[in-house]
Amino acid sequence: MGGAGSSWYESDIERIVATPEQIADKTAELAAQIAEDYRSVDELVLVCVLTGAFVFTADLARELGRRGVPVQLEFMQASSYGQAATSSGVVRLRKDLDRDISGAHVLVVEDIVDTGLTLSWLLKYLEGRSAASVEVVTLLRKPAAIRSAPPLTYVGFDIPSEFVVGYGLDYAGKYREVPYVGVLKPQIYSR
Ligand code: IMP
């Protein structure tokens, strides 16, 4: 067993983009804004976009709870990069909502928006479900999203166009448990 400070993943990370403290502060800040915007709403449905957004959704839900916003959790999964580090542009629904969201206020929770292809597809899909409102919160946004993605209501961090892992984000199923967001050394995914 490795001791503290000698985690197996450390040598795979080029640099840290958002520390656990920065993420926690940003999540609290976003939750405060969301609580303010939804103060007159009876219930907010958080739609967690699996798998990457599970960590952010858990922390955001608890921050909203601390601010007195009643939330319901729903999970959707669309296919993303698979094992490649660039978007294939192909989106497929792997897991649908478990409840009817008609008349509900929905906040889609994303980990990262790059081209926005996945999100555009999901929003179109949700539009057909007659929600009272559909907004988006993303922890991370890459530059391409500013040009091509659908409007993002709440954005945590703008990051450069590099492949990042941690805080829920993976490469080939690994690094989701890393407590920060870090740039993966390119030699890891190019070999
Ligand atoms: P988009 O459709 O190009 O916006 O890509 C969205 C999805 O691709 C995200 O929800 C992630 O699952 C994945 N993705 C995009 N960039 C990264 C990254 O830097 N690291 C890990 N996953 C990423």
Side-chain angles (χ1 to χ4, degrees), residues 49-52 80-81 85 87 91 110-119 142 159 162-165 169-171:
V49 183
L50 291 170
T51 302
S80 66
Y81 290 179
S87 185
V91 181
E110 272 279 17
D111 46 0
I112 189 163
V113 180
D114 182 5
T115 62
L117 277 171
T118 318
L119 184 63
K142 285 190 182 177
I159 63 163
E162 290 170 292
F163 196 79
V164 293
V165 293
L169 288 159
D170 77 313
Y171 170 64

Side-chain angles (χ1 to χ4, degrees), residues 6-191:
S6 60
S7 301
W8 64 268
Y9 47 76
E10 266 164 32
S11 58
D12 295 355
I13 306 296
E14 195 163 86
R15 64 172 203 284
I16 295 177
V17 166
T19 65
E21 295 73 23
Q22 287 170 329
I23 296 169
D25 288 352
K26 187 62 81 177
T27 306
E29 195 185 298
L30 290 168
Q33 183 64 54
I34 293 165
E36 170 69 16
D37 295 350
Y38 288 89
R39 65 184 178 280
S40 56
V41 164
D42 289 339
E43 178 194 275
L44 178 61
V45 180
L46 296 182
V47 174
C48 170
V49 183
L50 291 170
T51 302
F54 82 104
V55 181
F56 179 46
T57 304
D59 285 343
L60 183 68
R62 285 176 290 189
E63 284 297 334
L64 288 170
R66 287 193 185 102
R67 287 167 178 78
V69 181
V71 296
Q72 296 248 329
L73 269 297
E74 279 293 315
F75 299 88
M76 284 186 86
Q77 189 168 33
S79 65
S80 66
Y81 290 179
Q83 303 230 329
T86 50
S87 185
S88 64
V90 179
V91 181
R92 201 162 45 86
L93 188 64
R94 284 204 187 127
K95 192 214 166 296
D96 202 349
L97 300 168
D98 287 328
R99 63 167 271 192
D100 175 15
I101 55 158
S102 57
H105 292 279
V106 171
L107 181 61
V108 177
V109 185
E110 272 279 17
D111 46 0
I112 189 163
V113 180
D114 182 5
T115 62
L117 277 171
T118 318
L119 184 63
S120 301
W121 189 91
L122 274 177
L123 291 176
K124 248 187 226 110
Y125 183 81
L126 290 171
E127 258 168 37
R129 299 296 183 97
S130 320
S133 66
V134 180
E135 304 292 336
V136 181
V137 57
T138 185
L139 180 67
L140 306 165
R141 174 170 66 180
K142 285 190 182 177
I146 298 169
R147 294 188 296 275
S148 64
L152 304 172
T153 324
Y154 309 97
V155 177
F157 301 96
D158 276 302
I159 63 163
S161 198
E162 290 170 292
F163 196 79
V164 293
V165 293
Y167 198 69
L169 288 159
D170 77 313
Y171 170 64
K174 291 165 67 180
Y175 309 103
R176 293 197 196 276
E177 75 277 37
V178 175
Y180 51 78
V181 176
V183 175
L184 191 63
K185 287 184 179 162
Q187 58 263 39
I188 304 288
Y189 53 81
S190 56
R191 69 187 174 205

